[in-house]
Amino acid sequence: MMTKRMTYRSPSTTGNSTARDAGTVTTQWSASDWGLLLIRLTFGLLMAGHGAQKLFGIFGGNGLTETGKGFAALGYQPGKLFALIGGLSELLGGLGLALGLLTPLAAAALIGVMINAMATVTGAHGLWATDGGVEYSVCIAVVALAVAAIGPGRLAVDRFFRWGTGGWPEAAFALGLGGIAAAITLSL
C-alpha cells in the first residue's frame, strides 16, 4: 500500500500558526483510486490504439487513406479529413482519459466519436455488438461520461486542477460538447 504524507497548519485566531497547531495527516491511495486508474487506462489506451489504427495503420489498422475511403462511403465528405478528425479524437481523447489529463475534454472527444459511430454505423443494427449494434459504442460513451462526472481520481494529472474532482458541471460539459460536436459533424 502506498502512502503519502502531507503536513498542514491549522489557522489560529490571530492568523499566525504555532508549532502546536502543526499536524501530519497520512492519506492512502485506496482501492477505488487504483480501480479508477485501471478503468481510465484500459478504456483510454484502447481508444488511443483505435485512433492510431485510423491515423497510422498500426495495430492492424488501415491507416488514414483507407480509413478516409471508409468514411467517404459512410457519407463523410471529404472522407480523409473526417477520418483524421475521428482518429485524432480517439487518440487524444483516449490518451487524455488514460492520463487523467483535461478529463472533461477527453471525455467529450470520445463521446462525440461514439455518437457518430452509433448514428452512422451501428445504430441501424440494434443493441448487441454480435449483430453489429451500438453496445460497444454505448459502453465507451458511458464510461467516458462517468469518469467526467466522478473525476479522474487522485492518481491523475488533473488532480491539480479545479475540474479534477469531477461533478455535474464537468459531466454536463463532456456530454454537451461531445453532443454538439457530433451534431455538427453529422449535419455536414
Side-chain angles (χ1 to χ4, degrees):
M1 181 180 313
M2 300 181 79
T3 60
K4 179 176 144 183
R5 296 182 79 58
M6 301 183 334
T7 302
Y8 72 94
R9 295 198 181 274
S10 58
S12 68
T13 56
T14 63
N16 298 324
S17 34
T18 63
R20 73 178 190 290
D21 293 328
T24 301
V25 175
T26 302
T27 57
Q28 297 176 349
W29 288 324
S30 67
S32 62
D33 294 323
W34 289 102
L36 188 53
L37 176 64
L38 180 62
I39 290 168
R40 286 192 356 258
L41 286 174
T42 301
F43 276 88
L45 292 177
L46 286 173
M47 288 308 299
H50 201 68
Q53 288 177 318
K54 286 178 175 65
L55 295 171
F56 311 118
I58 58 176
F59 307 127
N62 293 326
L64 192 55
T65 300
E66 289 302 312
T67 302
K69 290 177 185 175
F71 271 61
L74 291 170
Y76 292 100
Q77 298 298 330
K80 194 169 185 179
L81 174 64
F82 282 98
L84 177 66
I85 293 168
L88 284 173
S89 295
E90 290 175 349
L91 178 70
L92 298 176
L95 290 175
L97 195 68
L99 294 170
L101 176 62
L102 303 173
T103 302
L105 188 59
L110 297 179
I111 290 168
V113 169
M114 292 301 108
I115 291 171
N116 270 279
M118 289 183 268
T120 60
V121 180
T122 60
H125 302 286
L127 176 62
W128 302 112
T130 54
D131 298 323
V134 298
E135 174 187 5
Y136 176 74
S137 299
V138 168
C139 289
I140 297 285
V142 168
V143 167
L145 179 59
V147 171
I150 296 166
R154 292 189 292 174
L155 299 172
V157 177
D158 277 348
R159 74 179 181 272
F160 299 112
F161 303 105
R162 182 194 63 73
W163 62 83
T165 58
W168 289 113
E170 289 78 2
F173 174 84
L175 184 59
L177 183 60
I180 289 168
I184 290 169
T185 302
L186 290 167
S187 71
L188 296 177

